[in-house]
Amino acid sequence: MNSKIQELTDIIYNEGVAKGQAQANKIVEQAQTQAESILADANRKAAGIVADAEQSAKANADNVSRELKLQSQQVLGALKSEIATVITDRIVSEAVKGFCADQDAFNSFILEIARQWNGAQAPVIATAQAEKLRAYFMAKAKELLDAGLEIRQIGGRQAFFSIQPADGSYKLDFGQQELESWLKSILRDQLVEVLF
């Protein structure tokens, strides 16, 4: 009877161990499946975050590139405008002073305008007179440029550019440090706005 009890105990024990092992294997399998699912979900989320970050970085880079291109066009336009303004201001000021100093030329010019003016419309400068004025101003512009021209401020910002005669044309001269400093002062605010 002892042997039967021992046999029965061994059977119950073995069945319990087998059921426990089966249950443990099932729990481990479920845990592995759940871990794989969590890991796959985390990988998908990480890939999505990386893709979003790459897309955002590309969009920011594109924005900065567009902004830099726009700013460089504006900088070039401001420089051209300042050169034209400086030359025009100096030519007109000197020309008008010279013209007014020659009383005979000034008086004949005023008389010619007065003769043409009928009160109903503004006086008209005849083509011959306009061509003389144009030629006069162009000669003065050439004199000014041949003597060299310095620009120390553009659009309210300090700058240093010079225009010098060179090989029958004119050379715009500026130092790297001056250009870099001027561009930084212009672009910094826009870049901070785009980036942040």
Side-chain angles (χ1 to χ4, degrees), residues 46-63:
I49 290 169
V50 167
D52 288 347
E54 286 174 350
Q55 185 177 3
S56 178
K58 184 182 182 314
N60 281 342
D62 289 346
N63 286 342

Side-chain angles (χ1 to χ4, degrees), residues 95-113:
V96 169
K97 283 178 190 175
F99 182 69
C100 290
D102 182 354
Q103 281 295 312
D104 291 336
F106 181 71
N107 289 339
S108 90
F109 180 73
I110 296 297
L111 285 173
E112 183 63 30
I113 289 177

Side-chain angles (χ1 to χ4, degrees), residues 12-154:
I12 293 173
Y13 174 77
N14 287 338
E15 281 181 11
V17 167
K19 281 185 181 180
Q21 186 63 43
Q23 187 70 17
N25 288 344
K26 185 177 179 182
I27 290 172
V28 167
E29 188 178 303
Q30 286 175 346
Q32 285 177 337
T33 302
Q34 191 174 16
E36 288 171 1
S37 173
I38 290 171
L39 185 60
D41 189 43
N43 285 337
R44 270 193 306 276
K45 287 180 181 176
I49 290 169
V50 167
D52 288 347
E54 286 174 350
Q55 185 177 3
S56 178
K58 184 182 182 314
N60 281 342
D62 289 346
N63 286 342
V64 168
S65 177
R66 277 193 301 276
E67 189 68 26
L68 283 173
K69 185 176 181 179
L70 176 64
Q71 289 299 320
S72 67
Q73 289 170 346
Q74 289 175 348
V75 163
L76 185 58
L79 180 58
K80 287 178 179 178
S81 176
E82 189 65 24
I83 289 169
T85 299
V86 167
I87 291 172
T88 302
D89 287 350
R90 288 193 188 171
I91 291 171
V92 170
S93 292
E94 290 175 19
V96 169
K97 283 178 190 175
F99 182 69
C100 290
D102 182 354
Q103 281 295 312
D104 291 336
F106 181 71
N107 289 339
S108 90
F109 180 73
I110 296 297
L111 285 173
E112 183 63 30
I113 289 177
R115 257 188 243 125
Q116 292 180 14
W117 188 28
N118 64 14
Q121 61 185 17
V124 176
I125 297 175
T127 303
Q129 291 170 327
E131 191 54 42
K132 283 181 190 175
L133 283 174
R134 182 184 177 287
Y136 179 78
F137 285 120
M138 293 308 286
K140 289 295 181 183
K142 182 169 180 4
E143 285 176 24
L144 180 65
L145 290 173
D146 285 346
L149 178 67
E150 288 183 356
I151 298 173
R152 299 209 176 257
Q153 190 175 34
I154 299 175

